Amino acid sequence: MQVRTWFGIFTLEDEVIVEVELFQKNIDTILNRLVEEPLILRGKVSGADLCDLAMRYGFVNSKNEYDSLLHELNIGLAKKQVARAVTADTRIIAAVEAIDDIDETANILAERLKEWYILNSSETDLKGEELARYITGLGGIDPEIRAMQSFAEALLGLYNTRLLAEEYLKENMPVLAPNLTSISGHILGARLLSIAGSLERLASMPSSTVQVIGAGSALFKHLKGKAPSPKHGLIFRHPFVNTAPKKLRGKIARAVASKISLAARYDYYSGELKESLKEELNNKVQGIKKQHSRRKSSG
Amino acid sequence: MSSPELSETGLDNVFSFIAQDGSKRLATGNLVPGGELRIWDPYHSKLAALILKGSNIPIKKDSLVLYLGAANGTTVSHVSDIVSQGTVFAVEFSPRAMHDLIRVSAPRMNLIPILADAMYPDSYKNMVPEVDIIYQDVAQRDQAGIAIRNSQMFLKENGFLILIIKAMSIDSARKSNDVFNSEIKKLEGVFEVEKIINLEPFHSDHAAVVARKSKM
């Protein structure tokens, strides 16, 4: 029988060690081996503690050296595994979360800039990016104006960062999730990924969950029996849902969620664009609307 | 400012003192060379809350501890301070949290970070030996089940389980006390439950269970 430990392979016969093949004492090569197979890091071989064996067969000189190598090995392994966990979807999620943070921050800063600007000047209808651009164009050496201009430049910088991040999403969402992007658009699709945590998890969610993700507090109120079930969470931002008549929103949200859920599954399991999905959703939504108007005219 | 007077707590390397606002606080001696005492905040750490609520916890300076749900490593670093001659095996599932945990572990020779899901103890059985104590604080559903599976694989006979039950991760609609009771019931047979402590006011909807692994 062979026992494969992190510093070598022991061959046993009737529980007795008959042969030892020590590995090279090089953390990197041991690490690469460890990523491939679960070598034993702690425990016993033939009744003897691994550390004692490592000393007995001359792999290390002391318990201190043994412990320190093993510590280094565990940290190296964890680092490798963390690096491996960064995938295309974690990058997309980072970008869309950055966009949401920028939106929130830029709104606060834009309001502040306007409050500051109107203290000194006459009223203005300009706001947001337009106002910031206008202020940076002002001449003058007044320290207050200069501070305001610097503020405005920082804000313009944020708007620009948002454009770049969105460009990144626009390019990469169709690569990661072509079907999800075609049904929900790159921003909403990325937000759904962000809340689900990964494409794999979005693909494994039932569509009834997809329908209400992002409506956490409403859902918990409902589960405690204090409110009706939420009709939509994040997918309210889908144009089919937010333009639908109020009465039909629930039905349409359900149709959109079910296609999003299908799309995520196609993306996760096949990765190829299925053109017909978008048309099916169009037809379904048109159908719901038609049915409603028919009922209205007959009722 | 004069430094406050430290008292022993009965736990290795853990001290208490009275803060300026009159409340009792904890601190641990820093194991990292050159470090001083580090304040241990009961509002951030459930283990600190458990100790402040007067519970004697069975962690000694030479204990081997399997710590499930190590997160960013705040509480783990204090456990590492306590077990100066032992080892903490810190299991954490989230790569983001592990990123921070690795930084905490690097200067601490007795702290071993393991990226794995505590639901599947098989996946780290090559890295963890038999331990004296399992400390578990995970935000997963089957908390009692995770404790039982890990104890069967790693906890020595008569070893201790310190289980933090997060009611909200198990069922957000049921009353916390009902959830605590049903989780504790699942431990019976495998453990003898010694103490159940509600962690209010430091942590709402959390209870700590101290239990001893029964003889087979």
Side-chain angles (χ1 to χ4, degrees):
Chain A
M1 190 186 81
Q2 272 196 344
V3 181
R4 305 172 72 83
T5 75
W6 67 276
F7 58 87
I9 300 166
F10 290 81
T11 309
L12 305 185
E13 261 166 38
D14 297 327
E15 301 291 309
V16 177
I17 299 170
V18 292
E19 202 193 317
V20 182
E21 181 203 332
L22 290 183
F23 295 150
Q24 212 184 6
K25 197 156 92 184
N26 177 314
I27 285 284
D28 288 333
T29 51
I30 293 176
L31 252 182
N32 288 333
R33 218 187 278 261
L34 188 58
V35 172
E36 299 300 320
E37 59 168 326
L39 298 168
I40 297 174
L41 301 193
R42 291 177 189 83
K44 290 181 173 183
V45 176
S46 159
D49 189 76
L50 278 188
C51 173
D52 296 336
L53 289 174
M55 289 195 286
R56 189 188 307 164
Y57 291 100
F59 185 76
V60 292
N61 298 317
S62 67
K63 182 168 189 317
N64 242 348
E65 187 192 0
Y66 182 88
D67 286 345
S68 130
L69 278 176
L70 199 46
H71 185 252
E72 198 180 328
L73 198 60
N74 266 113
I75 288 193
L77 178 66
K79 276 185 182 163
K80 268 192 192 264
Q81 290 169 325
V82 168
R84 204 186 262 186
V86 178
T87 52
D89 37 2
T90 46
R91 289 174 197 280
I92 296 265
I93 289 169
V96 76
E97 287 179 356
I99 286 180
D100 286 344
D101 285 349
I102 288 174
D103 284 348
E104 204 185 318
T105 313
N107 273 338
I108 295 173
L109 295 183
E111 271 173 46
R112 173 60 52 211
L113 183 63
K114 179 150 188 170
E115 293 304 313
W116 197 356
Y117 176 73
I118 59 177
L119 288 183
N120 295 295
S121 318
S122 46
E123 297 154 33
T124 173
D125 290 332
L126 296 177
K127 56 183 181 184
E129 194 171 346
E130 286 176 336
L131 179 64
R133 232 172 259 296
Y134 173 74
I135 292 174
T136 54
L138 291 175
I141 47 159
D142 176 54
E144 193 185 18
I145 301 274
R146 296 269 296 270
M148 232 186 277
Q149 283 178 332
S150 170
F151 192 123
E153 275 159 20
L155 184 55
L156 289 175
L158 274 186
Y159 288 129
N160 190 45
T161 307
R162 192 198 192 283
L163 282 182
L164 294 177
E166 194 173 339
E167 219 165 87
Y168 171 79
L169 283 186
K170 214 180 222 163
E171 253 173 52
N172 289 277
M173 269 298 283
V175 181
L176 172 75
N179 292 294
L180 178 61
T181 312
S182 116
I183 295 289
S184 68
H186 56 280
I187 296 258
L188 175 56
R191 285 199 177 108
L192 288 165
L193 289 176
S194 142
I195 295 196
S198 66
L199 181 58
E200 182 186 2
R201 281 168 67 181
L202 186 62
S204 64
M205 280 180 174
S207 83
S208 55
T209 303
V210 173
Q211 190 179 340
V212 296
I213 53 179
S217 57
L219 181 66
F220 289 124
K221 251 187 219 162
H222 167 63
L223 290 177
K224 289 192 171 163
K226 292 175 187 160
S229 63
K231 292 190 289 296
H232 37 61
L234 262 193
I235 62 163
F236 181 70
R237 299 193 190 214
H238 193 283
F240 282 168
V241 182
N242 61 31
T243 60
K246 221 172 171 196
K247 269 196 143 170
L248 295 184
R249 261 183 215 163
K251 276 197 170 69
I252 290 178
R254 189 151 54 98
V256 171
S258 102
K259 276 293 176 282
I260 284 178
S261 170
L262 261 182
R265 285 171 205 174
Y266 276 116
D267 288 336
Y268 183 69
Y269 293 104
S270 95
E272 270 161 42
L273 181 63
K274 190 169 154 59
E275 304 274 357
S276 59
L277 273 185
K278 199 167 182 184
E279 206 184 309
E280 285 167 27
L281 178 59
N282 278 336
N283 293 342
K284 175 95 188 164
V285 171
Q286 290 318 316
I288 294 173
K289 286 186 173 167
K290 235 181 241 161
Q291 206 179 18
H292 177 69
S293 56
R294 213 181 300 137
R295 228 181 264 155
K296 225 158 114 186
S297 56
S298 69
Chain B
M1 200 188 86
S2 66
S3 52
E5 201 171 311
L6 297 175
S7 321
E8 302 271 334
T9 56
L11 263 171
D12 293 311
N13 210 9
V14 183
F15 306 93
S16 69
F17 63 94
I18 305 298
Q20 283 185 325
D21 64 1
S23 66
K24 191 175 169 191
R25 305 286 299 272
L26 292 176
T28 59
N30 197 341
L31 212 64
V32 179
E36 298 185 345
L37 279 181
R38 301 186 311 126
I39 306 283
W40 195 2
D41 183 356
Y43 290 94
H44 282 133
S45 167
K46 279 141 231 157
L47 185 56
L50 178 62
I51 296 168
L52 271 185
K53 292 208 73 172
S55 178
N56 226 338
I57 61 160
I59 304 178
K60 306 270 181 294
K61 66 176 167 214
D62 58 353
S63 296
L64 296 183
V65 181
L66 173 58
Y67 191 123
L68 306 173
N72 301 47
T74 317
T75 303
V76 179
S77 69
H78 292 283
V79 177
S80 149
D81 282 345
I82 299 173
V83 299
S84 52
Q85 295 158 28
T87 308
V88 189
F89 300 92
V91 175
E92 171 54 44
F93 184 46
S94 146
R96 177 64 192 85
M98 179 53 70
H99 185 93
D100 296 341
L101 184 57
I102 288 171
R103 293 179 61 100
V104 175
S105 306
R108 292 174 174 272
M109 294 302 294
N110 68 351
L111 181 47
I112 305 292
I114 296 172
L115 183 72
D117 185 344
M119 284 273 279
Y120 307 105
D122 258 322
S123 67
Y124 44 88
K125 72 167 185 230
N126 64 318
M127 305 185 204
V128 179
E130 194 176 68
V131 297
D132 305 301
I133 287 156
I134 293 183
Y135 179 87
Q136 177 181 322
D137 182 5
V138 300
Q140 275 157 285
R141 240 187 158 167
D142 185 20
Q143 291 170 21
I146 290 172
I148 290 169
R149 258 171 282 152
N150 279 278
S151 298
Q152 281 166 344
M153 195 164 284
F154 301 114
L155 190 59
K156 71 173 191 194
E157 207 170 89
N158 281 323
F160 283 97
L161 166 73
I162 303 173
L163 171 64
I164 308 294
I165 305 178
K166 289 172 176 307
M168 284 300 155
S169 303
I170 295 171
D171 190 334
S172 61
R174 270 159 70 206
K175 283 214 180 88
S176 296
N177 274 333
D178 297 348
V179 176
F180 296 151
N181 289 334
S182 65
E183 287 303 292
I184 289 163
K185 219 176 158 62
K186 291 181 201 161
L187 299 177
E188 283 168 14
V190 187
F191 296 98
E192 282 149 37
V193 174
E194 300 199 341
K195 272 181 275 195
I196 302 161
I197 290 147
N198 195 310
L199 296 182
E200 300 272 3
F202 303 111
H203 303 270
S204 51
D205 302 311
H206 284 77
V209 178
V210 180
R212 196 187 268 267
K213 189 179 181 183
S214 311
K215 286 213 167 80
M216 284 297 138

